[in-house]
Amino acid sequence: MSEHRYRVELDWRDGGTETLRATDDESVLDAAEREGVGLPFGCRTGACATCTGRLLSGELQHEREPRALKSDSLADGYVLLCIARPKTDCRIEVGTAVHADLVTNPWK
């Protein structure tokens, strides 16, 4: 088990906030589930983008290539929470509205 534990603040656009303690060897999604915080997810491999968040401060590192994100989305701070591990305390915007920033709903 890692000795590094970081404070991870999750912010929803409706004003909701949750704070987690996450180690640098677990994904943000795994830490959220361990602490009973529900986040959207799909494949858990970084391929579908259902768990997209947007890093507002701090540093995260993807444990493998985030295949579901284009380079411009990565440059804008979007991250995949199923494969992103904290490297510092961080603050992340989360929820389905963040995913909707990247994907247009064809059924509107």
Side-chain angles (χ1 to χ4, degrees):
M1 182 166 183
S2 173
E3 296 180 22
H4 296 97
R5 292 179 89 58
Y6 299 107
R7 180 180 187 273
V8 178
E9 182 179 307
L10 305 175
D11 294 341
W12 282 262
R13 288 185 180 164
D14 68 0
T17 300
E18 292 278 352
T19 302
L20 313 170
R21 298 301 284 181
T23 64
D24 58 359
D25 63 354
E26 68 181 340
S27 72
V28 173
L29 178 62
D30 288 342
E33 288 181 330
R34 180 177 38 74
E35 295 201 15
V37 177
L39 293 174
F41 67 91
C43 69
R44 293 184 174 272
T45 65
C48 77
T50 303
C51 64
T52 299
R54 187 161 184 243
L55 185 63
L56 301 174
S57 66
E59 184 180 341
L60 294 170
Q61 183 175 27
H62 288 114
E63 62 189 42
R64 60 178 150 299
E65 180 184 352
R67 293 178 289 162
L69 294 178
K70 296 178 180 174
S71 59
D72 58 336
S73 297
L74 287 167
D76 288 339
Y78 291 96
V79 295
L80 299 179
L81 301 177
C82 70
I83 59 169
R85 297 177 178 188
K87 295 301 171 193
T88 65
D89 290 346
C90 52
R91 188 169 155 240
I92 308 165
E93 186 177 42
V94 297
T96 55
V98 178
H99 178 256
D101 289 349
L102 302 178
V103 179
T104 302
N105 182 347
W107 308 111
K108 287 184 187 177

